[in-house]
Amino acid sequence: MKILVPVKRVLDYNAKPRVKTDGSGVDLSNVKMSMNPFDEIAVEEAVRLKEKGLVTEVVAVSIGDTKAQETLRTALAMGADRAILVTAEEKVEPLGVAKLLAKIIEEEAPALVILGKQAIDEDNNQTGQMLAGLLGWGQATFASKVELSADVVRVTREIDGGLETNSYRLPAIITTDLRLNEPRYASLPNIMKAKSKPLVQKAAADLGVDVAPRLTTLKVFEPAKRAAGVKVANVDELVSKLRSIGIAK
Amino acid sequence: MTTLLIAEHDNSSLKDATAKALTAAKELGAPVHILVACEGARAVADAAGKLAGVEKVLLADDPAYGHALAEPLAALIVSLADGYDAIVAPSTTAGKNVLPRVAALLDVMQVSDVIKVVSPDTFERPIYAGNAIQTVQSTEAKRLLTIRTASFAAAGEGGSAAIEIVSGAANPGSSRFKGEQVAKSDRPELASAKIVVSGGRALGSAENFAKVIAPVADKLGAAMGASRAAVDAGYAPNDWQVGQTGKIVAPELYIAVGISGAIQHLAGMKDSKVIVAINKDEEAPIFRIADYGLVGDLFEILPQLDRELQATLPEGKS
């Protein structure tokens, strides 16, 4: 069984995003970029399933500019077997990404695709669901536990009131939530080994998919800042402040 | 034309998220129909019909929709989509699960987590954990939107919309519900609570959550929340997590106890009206956004706060 893991290169989660003064977007020059944290969890889960002997090959895919190779090398160092980079000059929206991934899936025919539940830059939380829709496959979103068998995957999902377990006929789409696993660090020998693993590039334009943006970003701006607050000395003072705004009785 | 709003419910009651998303849906300026897809729960449709400003309720009463599985529900919504030029769902886990699937099936790009309707085709939404706001325009044939419910007031009651029975598309059968563990609680729901008391890693254990946070939350009639660190450490259940990737809340009062204030956490609560931070580290970033900060040991402060609140509550309530 083969697993496909799409990964995205994003602004590192520890970095503070700076909004460009011209309102055109967030400044990504000279900032640390990393693999989207939810995608690390996706790679980890795929590699664990391989280590359990349930999966024969893990293929990492990224869509973006050539720098996304670094992200794919990270996936390879974590244990993915090979990588595919779909090069695109411009930003591709989730619908376009899902269409490109559907093309790759046509060629690769994986039994399972594991994606992150959302990318921490655009915070869309759409790609996995869209991909499942395009392929007509089942979708197990927000997964916190995955039990894979020959033709079915049983997934526990994080839902608003607690947890829900469903089974999905393979092939299927899974999107990862935080609690699914703790991703490993790539060791130095594995980072070295990853350099010789295969990484092929394909141009998005050659896949015959229209990825022109459908939405127009008119402006990106900083949210309103909160007014500075005050420190109170003790609980009495805190409670009287709360009373003064009508909260505590 | 018309807007279709997908109701959020648990098969027996309509959730507050529906009334909040309705407010956003009405701002699109078109009549609103609500789709209630559930199993043998006409009461949910009745409740949806009572919301002010709803023109019609569509009820799809079929066991296929019993647990809001995305595959049959998306097929149903797509089968109804012809009559609508906007399809809206609250940004709950159920809404986030189904609507992008619908969007792909309709070949439309969705706008996620709308916090403001600027005009019927232009919306504001937060990106980068709420560190930036994006104004985005959709000129798609159908606008598909999920609504950040914390950003909209709940629509009131007073409507009397007719209920129309609709039947769904065939269940694709690719998924099957197996079971759920849903926490039962007398406390208000986290996403819609007026007061939230949240704990972080500094609590140290689940027992301390129950011993120190719960009494204060109960006195205030508050929901309990947690930071990711507290959830990861097993001190609180997953669905208490407040933050970029957990629940987004905007209560009247948010009390952050032993929470440092990482940007991912702030993304989930910084639109609260009043923020109180209790932390022993006076340099903690949470103090930069807190209206009232108290530096000290939470294990001394919380019991004191509990006693103080007890003393001030009217007699008979405790």
Side-chain angles (χ1 to χ4, degrees), chain A residues 99 117 121-124 126 137 139 141 163 165 167 179 216 218-219 221 226 230 232 243, chain B residues 71 97 101 107 112 125 128 133 135 137 176 178-179 181 241 244-245 270 272 291 293 312:
Chain A
K99 287 179 179 178
K117 79 165 173 181
D121 51 1
E122 301 279 333
D123 284 334
N124 276 311
Q126 297 177 0
W137 295 4
Q139 61 181 63
T141 51
L163 298 169
T165 303
S167 72
R179 253 68 62 176
T216 314
L218 302 177
K219 190 170 60 167
F221 57 98
R226 289 187 76 95
V230 294
V232 295
R243 258 186 226 130
Chain B
E71 299 81 5
N97 188 31
R101 187 178 179 101
D107 193 26
S112 292
R125 61 178 300 266
Y128 288 88
I133 310 293
T135 308
Q137 186 176 35
R176 188 173 298 237
K178 290 288 183 188
Q181 297 161 256
Q241 186 184 322
Q244 179 187 20
T245 63
K270 66 187 167 60
S272 306
D291 299 276
T312 60

mmCIF file of all heavy atoms in Angstrom, chain A residues 99 117 121-124 126 137 139 141 163 165 167 179 216 218-219 221 226 230 232 243, chain B residues 71 97 101 107 112 125 128 133 135 137 176 178-179 181 241 244-245 270 272 291 293 312:
data_model
loop_
_atom_site.group_PDB
_atom_site.id
_atom_site.type_symbol
_atom_site.label_atom_id
_atom_site.label_comp_id
_atom_site.label_asym_id
_atom_site.label_seq_id
_atom_site.Cartn_x
_atom_site.Cartn_y
_atom_site.Cartn_z
ATOM 1 N N LYS A 99 -6.765 20.222 -7.013
ATOM 2 C CA LYS A 99 -6.823 19.732 -8.406
ATOM 3 C C LYS A 99 -5.465 19.193 -8.863
ATOM 4 O O LYS A 99 -5.401 18.167 -9.550
ATOM 5 C CB LYS A 99 -7.292 20.855 -9.341
ATOM 6 C CG LYS A 99 -8.768 21.161 -9.180
ATOM 7 C CD LYS A 99 -9.176 22.301 -10.104
ATOM 8 C CE LYS A 99 -10.661 22.583 -9.961
ATOM 9 N NZ LYS A 99 -11.082 23.710 -10.817
ATOM 10 N N LYS A 117 -4.446 19.274 8.812
ATOM 11 C CA LYS A 117 -5.829 19.781 8.797
ATOM 12 C C LYS A 117 -5.902 21.219 8.288
ATOM 13 O O LYS A 117 -6.897 21.626 7.723
ATOM 14 C CB LYS A 117 -6.483 19.662 10.177
ATOM 15 C CG LYS A 117 -6.107 20.721 11.187
ATOM 16 C CD LYS A 117 -7.081 20.723 12.376
ATOM 17 C CE LYS A 117 -6.612 21.674 13.462
ATOM 18 N NZ LYS A 117 -7.491 21.703 14.620
ATOM 19 N N ASP A 121 -0.475 29.379 7.693
ATOM 20 C CA ASP A 121 -0.371 30.711 7.092
ATOM 21 C C ASP A 121 -1.752 31.240 6.670
ATOM 22 O O ASP A 121 -2.226 32.235 7.188
ATOM 23 C CB ASP A 121 0.638 30.730 5.923
ATOM 24 C CG ASP A 121 0.408 29.627 4.890
ATOM 25 O OD1 ASP A 121 -0.543 28.841 5.050
ATOM 26 O OD2 ASP A 121 1.180 29.565 3.913
ATOM 27 N N GLU A 122 -2.407 30.520 5.765
ATOM 28 C CA GLU A 122 -3.704 31.005 5.296
ATOM 29 C C GLU A 122 -4.861 30.514 6.167
ATOM 30 O O GLU A 122 -5.992 31.004 6.034
ATOM 31 C CB GLU A 122 -3.928 30.570 3.846
ATOM 32 C CG GLU A 122 -2.862 31.075 2.871
ATOM 33 C CD GLU A 122 -3.097 32.514 2.424
ATOM 34 O OE1 GLU A 122 -4.249 32.951 2.419
ATOM 35 O OE2 GLU A 122 -2.105 33.186 2.094
ATOM 36 N N ASP A 123 -4.600 29.520 7.030
ATOM 37 C CA ASP A 123 -5.624 29.028 7.970
ATOM 38 C C ASP A 123 -6.941 28.633 7.285
ATOM 39 O O ASP A 123 -8.022 28.863 7.835
ATOM 40 C CB ASP A 123 -5.911 30.068 9.069
ATOM 41 C CG ASP A 123 -4.800 30.106 10.133
ATOM 42 O OD1 ASP A 123 -4.125 29.070 10.311
ATOM 43 O OD2 ASP A 123 -4.617 31.154 10.775
ATOM 44 N N ASN A 124 -6.851 28.068 6.078
ATOM 45 C CA ASN A 124 -8.079 27.780 5.330
ATOM 46 C C ASN A 124 -8.819 26.523 5.793
ATOM 47 O O ASN A 124 -10.038 26.499 5.844
ATOM 48 C CB ASN A 124 -7.762 27.629 3.841
ATOM 49 C CG ASN A 124 -7.722 28.954 3.129
ATOM 50 O OD1 ASN A 124 -8.628 29.759 3.277
ATOM 51 N ND2 ASN A 124 -6.665 29.199 2.384
ATOM 52 N N GLN A 126 -9.119 23.587 4.100
ATOM 53 C CA GLN A 126 -9.970 23.210 2.964
ATOM 54 C C GLN A 126 -9.393 22.091 2.099
ATOM 55 O O GLN A 126 -10.158 21.293 1.543
ATOM 56 C CB GLN A 126 -10.173 24.425 2.028
ATOM 57 C CG GLN A 126 -10.897 25.595 2.649
ATOM 58 C CD GLN A 126 -10.990 26.780 1.700
ATOM 59 O OE1 GLN A 126 -10.507 26.737 0.576
ATOM 60 N NE2 GLN A 126 -11.604 27.849 2.167
ATOM 61 N N TRP A 137 -13.679 10.312 -2.710
ATOM 62 C CA TRP A 137 -13.246 9.425 -1.634
ATOM 63 C C TRP A 137 -13.830 9.876 -0.293
ATOM 64 O O TRP A 137 -14.257 11.018 -0.137
ATOM 65 C CB TRP A 137 -11.710 9.451 -1.503
ATOM 66 C CG TRP A 137 -10.970 8.913 -2.692
ATOM 67 C CD1 TRP A 137 -11.503 8.490 -3.877
ATOM 68 C CD2 TRP A 137 -9.550 8.768 -2.810
ATOM 69 N NE1 TRP A 137 -10.492 8.083 -4.724
ATOM 70 C CE2 TRP A 137 -9.285 8.238 -4.097
ATOM 71 C CE3 TRP A 137 -8.465 9.028 -1.965
ATOM 72 C CZ2 TRP A 137 -7.989 7.967 -4.541
ATOM 73 C CZ3 TRP A 137 -7.184 8.760 -2.402
ATOM 74 C CH2 TRP A 137 -6.948 8.223 -3.681
ATOM 75 N N GLN A 139 -13.530 11.112 3.595
ATOM 76 C CA GLN A 139 -12.609 12.060 4.231
ATOM 77 C C GLN A 139 -12.688 11.954 5.747
ATOM 78 O O GLN A 139 -13.727 12.142 6.340
ATOM 79 C CB GLN A 139 -12.919 13.486 3.779
ATOM 80 C CG GLN A 139 -14.325 13.965 4.144
ATOM 81 C CD GLN A 139 -14.593 15.371 3.653
ATOM 82 O OE1 GLN A 139 -14.592 15.639 2.450
ATOM 83 N NE2 GLN A 139 -14.843 16.287 4.583
ATOM 84 N N THR A 141 -11.383 13.895 8.582
ATOM 85 C CA THR A 141 -10.684 15.128 8.960
ATOM 86 C C THR A 141 -10.413 15.163 10.454
ATOM 87 O O THR A 141 -11.075 14.493 11.236
ATOM 88 C CB THR A 141 -11.533 16.351 8.569
ATOM 89 O OG1 THR A 141 -12.847 16.177 9.093
ATOM 90 C CG2 THR A 141 -11.621 16.507 7.057
ATOM 91 N N LEU A 163 -14.898 13.285 20.869
ATOM 92 C CA LEU A 163 -14.271 12.467 19.834
ATOM 93 C C LEU A 163 -15.333 11.649 19.118
ATOM 94 O O LEU A 163 -16.357 11.296 19.696
ATOM 95 C CB LEU A 163 -13.247 11.509 20.456
ATOM 96 C CG LEU A 163 -12.064 12.152 21.188
ATOM 97 C CD1 LEU A 163 -11.293 11.107 21.966
ATOM 98 C CD2 LEU A 163 -11.144 12.865 20.208
ATOM 99 N N THR A 165 -15.557 8.298 16.170
ATOM 100 C CA THR A 165 -14.811 7.306 15.391
ATOM 101 C C THR A 165 -15.653 6.859 14.205
ATOM 102 O O THR A 165 -16.826 6.523 14.364
ATOM 103 C CB THR A 165 -14.451 6.096 16.277
ATOM 104 O OG1 THR A 165 -13.706 6.582 17.400
ATOM 105 C CG2 THR A 165 -13.582 5.103 15.513
ATOM 106 N N SER A 167 -15.386 4.656 10.211
ATOM 107 C CA SER A 167 -14.537 3.855 9.336
ATOM 108 C C SER A 167 -14.733 4.325 7.905
ATOM 109 O O SER A 167 -15.825 4.770 7.524
ATOM 110 C CB SER A 167 -14.854 2.368 9.491
ATOM 111 O OG SER A 167 -16.086 2.093 8.902
ATOM 112 N N ARG A 179 -3.169 16.045 18.026
ATOM 113 C CA ARG A 179 -2.967 14.947 18.970
ATOM 114 C C ARG A 179 -2.672 13.613 18.291
ATOM 115 O O ARG A 179 -2.538 12.608 18.962
ATOM 116 C CB ARG A 179 -4.194 14.801 19.873
ATOM 117 C CG ARG A 179 -3.985 15.265 21.294
ATOM 118 C CD ARG A 179 -3.799 16.729 21.461
ATOM 119 N NE ARG A 179 -4.961 17.493 21.034
ATOM 120 C CZ ARG A 179 -5.073 18.787 21.151
ATOM 121 N NH1 ARG A 179 -4.113 19.501 21.677
ATOM 122 N NH2 ARG A 179 -6.152 19.394 20.724
ATOM 123 N N THR A 216 -9.996 37.258 -4.939
ATOM 124 C CA THR A 216 -9.104 38.403 -5.059
ATOM 125 C C THR A 216 -8.843 38.971 -3.673
ATOM 126 O O THR A 216 -9.778 39.336 -2.962
ATOM 127 C CB THR A 216 -9.774 39.515 -5.911
ATOM 128 O OG1 THR A 216 -10.333 38.897 -7.067
ATOM 129 C CG2 THR A 216 -8.770 40.571 -6.333
ATOM 130 N N LEU A 218 -8.061 41.896 -1.650
ATOM 131 C CA LEU A 218 -8.092 43.344 -1.861
ATOM 132 C C LEU A 218 -7.083 44.035 -0.958
ATOM 133 O O LEU A 218 -6.494 45.047 -1.312
ATOM 134 C CB LEU A 218 -9.500 43.897 -1.586
ATOM 135 C CG LEU A 218 -10.634 43.296 -2.434
ATOM 136 C CD1 LEU A 218 -11.974 43.880 -2.013
ATOM 137 C CD2 LEU A 218 -10.394 43.555 -3.918
ATOM 138 N N LYS A 219 -6.883 43.449 0.237
ATOM 139 C CA LYS A 219 -6.045 44.153 1.217
ATOM 140 C C LYS A 219 -5.691 43.181 2.336
ATOM 141 O O LYS A 219 -6.472 42.287 2.663
ATOM 142 C CB LYS A 219 -6.859 45.320 1.801
ATOM 143 C CG LYS A 219 -6.066 46.299 2.646
ATOM 144 C CD LYS A 219 -6.891 47.540 2.986
ATOM 145 C CE LYS A 219 -8.155 47.231 3.772
ATOM 146 N NZ LYS A 219 -8.817 48.368 4.379
ATOM 147 N N PHE A 221 -4.287 43.651 6.297
ATOM 148 C CA PHE A 221 -3.953 44.672 7.289
ATOM 149 C C PHE A 221 -3.820 44.065 8.681
ATOM 150 O O PHE A 221 -4.261 42.935 8.927
ATOM 151 C CB PHE A 221 -4.985 45.804 7.288
ATOM 152 C CG PHE A 221 -6.408 45.347 7.535
ATOM 153 C CD1 PHE A 221 -6.974 45.434 8.802
ATOM 154 C CD2 PHE A 221 -7.186 44.852 6.490
ATOM 155 C CE1 PHE A 221 -8.281 45.024 9.027
ATOM 156 C CE2 PHE A 221 -8.494 44.431 6.708
ATOM 157 C CZ PHE A 221 -9.040 44.526 7.977
ATOM 158 N N ARG A 226 -5.129 45.926 20.980
ATOM 159 C CA ARG A 226 -5.873 46.124 22.222
ATOM 160 C C ARG A 226 -5.226 47.241 23.007
ATOM 161 O O ARG A 226 -4.000 47.378 23.019
ATOM 162 C CB ARG A 226 -5.855 44.852 23.060
ATOM 163 C CG ARG A 226 -6.678 43.729 22.499
ATOM 164 C CD ARG A 226 -6.725 42.582 23.473
ATOM 165 N NE ARG A 226 -7.628 42.858 24.590
ATOM 166 C CZ ARG A 226 -8.899 42.469 24.632
ATOM 167 N NH1 ARG A 226 -9.404 41.798 23.631
ATOM 168 N NH2 ARG A 226 -9.651 42.748 25.669
ATOM 169 N N VAL A 230 -4.049 47.179 32.787
ATOM 170 C CA VAL A 230 -3.394 47.531 34.047
ATOM 171 C C VAL A 230 -3.118 46.271 34.851
ATOM 172 O O VAL A 230 -3.795 45.254 34.704
ATOM 173 C CB VAL A 230 -4.264 48.484 34.909
ATOM 174 C CG1 VAL A 230 -4.423 49.820 34.215
ATOM 175 C CG2 VAL A 230 -5.626 47.861 35.196
ATOM 176 N N VAL A 232 -3.196 44.664 38.503
ATOM 177 C CA VAL A 232 -3.824 44.883 39.801
ATOM 178 C C VAL A 232 -2.957 44.223 40.872
ATOM 179 O O VAL A 232 -2.199 43.293 40.571
ATOM 180 C CB VAL A 232 -5.265 44.328 39.849
ATOM 181 C CG1 VAL A 232 -6.169 45.082 38.900
ATOM 182 C CG2 VAL A 232 -5.292 42.840 39.523
ATOM 183 N N ARG A 243 -16.306 43.941 39.053
ATOM 184 C CA ARG A 243 -17.625 44.457 39.448
ATOM 185 C C ARG A 243 -17.916 45.773 38.754
ATOM 186 O O ARG A 243 -19.034 46.027 38.312
ATOM 187 C CB ARG A 243 -17.649 44.685 40.958
ATOM 188 C CG ARG A 243 -18.366 43.587 41.671
ATOM 189 C CD ARG A 243 -18.506 43.909 43.140
ATOM 190 N NE ARG A 243 -18.153 42.733 43.891
ATOM 191 C CZ ARG A 243 -17.309 42.696 44.898
ATOM 192 N NH1 ARG A 243 -16.727 43.797 45.335
ATOM 193 N NH2 ARG A 243 -17.063 41.572 45.509
ATOM 194 N N GLU B 71 -19.575 12.952 3.620
ATOM 195 C CA GLU B 71 -19.822 12.430 2.279
ATOM 196 C C GLU B 71 -21.300 12.497 1.898
ATOM 197 O O GLU B 71 -21.638 13.091 0.874
ATOM 198 C CB GLU B 71 -19.247 11.002 2.167
ATOM 199 C CG GLU B 71 -17.725 10.920 2.391
ATOM 200 C CD GLU B 71 -17.310 10.917 3.858
ATOM 201 O OE1 GLU B 71 -18.207 10.882 4.727
ATOM 202 O OE2 GLU B 71 -16.106 10.969 4.153
ATOM 203 N N ASN B 97 -15.745 20.600 8.099
ATOM 204 C CA ASN B 97 -15.598 19.294 7.480
ATOM 205 C C ASN B 97 -16.340 19.234 6.149
ATOM 206 O O ASN B 97 -15.794 18.776 5.153
ATOM 207 C CB ASN B 97 -16.144 18.230 8.444
ATOM 208 C CG ASN B 97 -15.867 16.814 7.999
ATOM 209 O OD1 ASN B 97 -14.854 16.552 7.352
ATOM 210 N ND2 ASN B 97 -16.756 15.904 8.337
ATOM 211 N N ARG B 101 -15.771 20.338 0.911
ATOM 212 C CA ARG B 101 -16.108 19.231 0.001
ATOM 213 C C ARG B 101 -17.179 19.686 -0.986
ATOM 214 O O ARG B 101 -17.090 19.423 -2.174
ATOM 215 C CB ARG B 101 -16.573 18.014 0.815
ATOM 216 C CG ARG B 101 -16.770 16.763 -0.041
ATOM 217 C CD ARG B 101 -17.182 15.563 0.798
ATOM 218 N NE ARG B 101 -17.387 14.397 -0.032
ATOM 219 C CZ ARG B 101 -16.517 13.392 -0.176
ATOM 220 N NH1 ARG B 101 -15.381 13.402 0.486
ATOM 221 N NH2 ARG B 101 -16.769 12.369 -0.955
ATOM 222 N N ASP B 107 -17.003 23.209 -7.859
ATOM 223 C CA ASP B 107 -15.878 23.909 -8.489
ATOM 224 C C ASP B 107 -15.849 25.388 -8.117
ATOM 225 O O ASP B 107 -15.783 26.277 -8.970
ATOM 226 C CB ASP B 107 -15.909 23.733 -10.017
ATOM 227 C CG ASP B 107 -14.595 24.175 -10.653
ATOM 228 O OD1 ASP B 107 -13.553 24.140 -9.957
ATOM 229 O OD2 ASP B 107 -14.604 24.585 -11.834
ATOM 230 N N SER B 112 -13.012 30.881 4.045
ATOM 231 C CA SER B 112 -13.114 30.272 5.374
ATOM 232 C C SER B 112 -13.098 31.324 6.472
ATOM 233 O O SER B 112 -12.373 32.319 6.362
ATOM 234 C CB SER B 112 -11.916 29.334 5.617
ATOM 235 O OG SER B 112 -11.974 28.209 4.787
ATOM 236 N N ARG B 125 -11.330 38.094 6.737
ATOM 237 C CA ARG B 125 -11.006 36.858 7.449
ATOM 238 C C ARG B 125 -9.594 36.941 7.998
ATOM 239 O O ARG B 125 -8.720 37.559 7.401
ATOM 240 C CB ARG B 125 -11.160 35.643 6.530
ATOM 241 C CG ARG B 125 -10.263 35.635 5.313
ATOM 242 C CD ARG B 125 -10.470 34.363 4.507
ATOM 243 N NE ARG B 125 -10.160 33.197 5.319
ATOM 244 C CZ ARG B 125 -8.975 32.597 5.350
ATOM 245 N NH1 ARG B 125 -7.974 33.017 4.607
ATOM 246 N NH2 ARG B 125 -8.761 31.551 6.123
ATOM 247 N N TYR B 128 -2.725 33.841 9.290
ATOM 248 C CA TYR B 128 -1.544 33.815 10.158
ATOM 249 C C TYR B 128 -1.920 33.930 11.642
ATOM 250 O O TYR B 128 -1.491 34.832 12.340
ATOM 251 C CB TYR B 128 -0.562 34.930 9.774
ATOM 252 C CG TYR B 128 0.153 34.663 8.467
ATOM 253 C CD1 TYR B 128 -0.405 35.060 7.254
ATOM 254 C CD2 TYR B 128 1.379 34.003 8.446
ATOM 255 C CE1 TYR B 128 0.249 34.805 6.048
ATOM 256 C CE2 TYR B 128 2.037 33.742 7.247
ATOM 257 C CZ TYR B 128 1.469 34.152 6.058
ATOM 258 O OH TYR B 128 2.116 33.901 4.880
ATOM 259 N N ILE B 133 -5.367 40.471 8.911
ATOM 260 C CA ILE B 133 -6.741 40.329 8.418
ATOM 261 C C ILE B 133 -6.700 40.540 6.910
ATOM 262 O O ILE B 133 -6.060 41.477 6.421
ATOM 263 C CB ILE B 133 -7.695 41.377 9.052
ATOM 264 C CG1 ILE B 133 -7.572 41.402 10.576
ATOM 265 C CG2 ILE B 133 -9.142 41.123 8.612
ATOM 266 C CD1 ILE B 133 -8.043 40.190 11.300
ATOM 267 N N THR B 135 -8.830 41.109 3.416
ATOM 268 C CA THR B 135 -10.108 41.450 2.788
ATOM 269 C C THR B 135 -10.130 40.739 1.446
ATOM 270 O O THR B 135 -9.241 40.952 0.620
ATOM 271 C CB THR B 135 -10.242 42.968 2.570
ATOM 272 O OG1 THR B 135 -9.971 43.623 3.800
ATOM 273 C CG2 THR B 135 -11.634 43.334 2.098
ATOM 274 N N GLN B 137 -12.331 39.144 -1.986
ATOM 275 C CA GLN B 137 -13.535 39.271 -2.803
ATOM 276 C C GLN B 137 -13.764 37.971 -3.567
ATOM 277 O O GLN B 137 -12.834 37.422 -4.157
ATOM 278 C CB GLN B 137 -13.350 40.421 -3.787
ATOM 279 C CG GLN B 137 -14.620 40.719 -4.581
ATOM 280 C CD GLN B 137 -14.437 41.918 -5.484
ATOM 281 O OE1 GLN B 137 -13.357 42.138 -6.026
ATOM 282 N NE2 GLN B 137 -15.495 42.698 -5.654
ATOM 283 N N ARG B 176 -18.559 5.379 7.464
ATOM 284 C CA ARG B 176 -19.541 4.789 8.350
ATOM 285 C C ARG B 176 -19.247 5.214 9.786
ATOM 286 O O ARG B 176 -18.104 5.146 10.235
ATOM 287 C CB ARG B 176 -19.431 3.271 8.237
ATOM 288 C CG ARG B 176 -20.519 2.502 8.955
ATOM 289 C CD ARG B 176 -20.369 1.044 8.617
ATOM 290 N NE ARG B 176 -20.544 0.836 7.178
ATOM 291 C CZ ARG B 176 -21.471 0.006 6.678
ATOM 292 N NH1 ARG B 176 -22.261 -0.662 7.477
ATOM 293 N NH2 ARG B 176 -21.587 -0.147 5.384
ATOM 294 N N LYS B 178 -19.000 4.911 13.686
ATOM 295 C CA LYS B 178 -18.745 3.767 14.562
ATOM 296 C C LYS B 178 -19.022 4.065 16.035
ATOM 297 O O LYS B 178 -19.346 3.179 16.802
ATOM 298 C CB LYS B 178 -17.296 3.310 14.418
ATOM 299 C CG LYS B 178 -16.991 2.648 13.081
ATOM 300 C CD LYS B 178 -17.634 1.274 12.998
ATOM 301 C CE LYS B 178 -17.277 0.583 11.707
ATOM 302 N NZ LYS B 178 -18.037 -0.655 11.540
ATOM 303 N N GLY B 179 -18.835 5.290 16.434
ATOM 304 C CA GLY B 179 -19.069 5.593 17.840
ATOM 305 C C GLY B 179 -18.537 6.965 18.187
ATOM 306 O O GLY B 179 -17.831 7.587 17.407
ATOM 307 N N GLN B 181 -17.385 9.672 21.707
ATOM 308 C CA GLN B 181 -17.260 9.945 23.139
ATOM 309 C C GLN B 181 -17.489 11.440 23.281
ATOM 310 O O GLN B 181 -16.596 12.235 23.004
ATOM 311 C CB GLN B 181 -15.852 9.643 23.635
ATOM 312 C CG GLN B 181 -15.427 8.210 23.512
ATOM 313 C CD GLN B 181 -13.907 8.149 23.589
ATOM 314 O OE1 GLN B 181 -13.240 7.966 22.587
ATOM 315 N NE2 GLN B 181 -13.364 8.331 24.778
ATOM 316 N N GLN B 241 -9.508 23.016 23.994
ATOM 317 C CA GLN B 241 -8.393 23.836 23.526
ATOM 318 C C GLN B 241 -8.856 25.119 22.850
ATOM 319 O O GLN B 241 -9.622 25.095 21.895
ATOM 320 C CB GLN B 241 -7.507 23.054 22.562
ATOM 321 C CG GLN B 241 -6.254 23.844 22.169
ATOM 322 C CD GLN B 241 -5.418 23.128 21.134
ATOM 323 O OE1 GLN B 241 -5.280 21.912 21.182
ATOM 324 N NE2 GLN B 241 -4.870 23.875 20.205
ATOM 325 N N GLN B 244 -5.608 28.985 17.729
ATOM 326 C CA GLN B 244 -5.657 28.985 16.262
ATOM 327 C C GLN B 244 -6.242 27.689 15.728
ATOM 328 O O GLN B 244 -7.015 27.692 14.780
ATOM 329 C CB GLN B 244 -4.233 29.172 15.720
ATOM 330 C CG GLN B 244 -4.129 29.171 14.199
ATOM 331 C CD GLN B 244 -2.686 29.192 13.721
ATOM 332 O OE1 GLN B 244 -1.767 28.847 14.468
ATOM 333 N NE2 GLN B 244 -2.472 29.616 12.493
ATOM 334 N N THR B 245 -5.853 26.575 16.328
ATOM 335 C CA THR B 245 -6.284 25.283 15.802
ATOM 336 C C THR B 245 -7.281 24.596 16.721
ATOM 337 O O THR B 245 -7.627 23.447 16.523
ATOM 338 C CB THR B 245 -5.075 24.371 15.568
ATOM 339 O OG1 THR B 245 -4.444 24.108 16.818
ATOM 340 C CG2 THR B 245 -4.086 25.012 14.635
ATOM 341 N N LYS B 270 -8.243 36.595 21.584
ATOM 342 C CA LYS B 270 -7.892 38.011 21.748
ATOM 343 C C LYS B 270 -9.016 38.975 21.392
ATOM 344 O O LYS B 270 -8.892 40.173 21.604
ATOM 345 C CB LYS B 270 -6.604 38.358 21.012
ATOM 346 C CG LYS B 270 -6.632 38.287 19.518
ATOM 347 C CD LYS B 270 -5.199 38.504 19.002
ATOM 348 C CE LYS B 270 -5.037 38.150 17.560
ATOM 349 N NZ LYS B 270 -5.886 38.926 16.657
ATOM 350 N N SER B 272 -11.859 38.692 22.946
ATOM 351 C CA SER B 272 -12.695 38.735 24.145
ATOM 352 C C SER B 272 -12.832 40.190 24.601
ATOM 353 O O SER B 272 -11.909 40.985 24.440
ATOM 354 C CB SER B 272 -12.045 37.913 25.266
ATOM 355 O OG SER B 272 -11.778 36.601 24.818
ATOM 356 N N ASP B 291 -6.493 43.098 29.976
ATOM 357 C CA ASP B 291 -7.002 44.348 30.537
ATOM 358 C C ASP B 291 -6.620 44.458 32.003
ATOM 359 O O ASP B 291 -6.266 45.512 32.490
ATOM 360 C CB ASP B 291 -8.526 44.392 30.389
ATOM 361 C CG ASP B 291 -8.939 44.338 28.935
ATOM 362 O OD1 ASP B 291 -8.953 45.402 28.301
ATOM 363 O OD2 ASP B 291 -9.193 43.230 28.432
ATOM 364 N N GLY B 293 -4.208 42.428 34.846
ATOM 365 C CA GLY B 293 -3.228 41.379 35.078
ATOM 366 C C GLY B 293 -2.931 41.274 36.560
ATOM 367 O O GLY B 293 -2.890 42.277 37.277
ATOM 368 N N THR B 312 -19.600 37.337 47.522
ATOM 369 C CA THR B 312 -20.365 38.402 46.883
ATOM 370 C C THR B 312 -21.614 37.903 46.174
ATOM 371 O O THR B 312 -22.416 38.690 45.715
ATOM 372 C CB THR B 312 -19.490 39.149 45.856
ATOM 373 O OG1 THR B 312 -19.059 38.198 44.880
ATOM 374 C CG2 THR B 312 -18.299 39.786 46.497
#
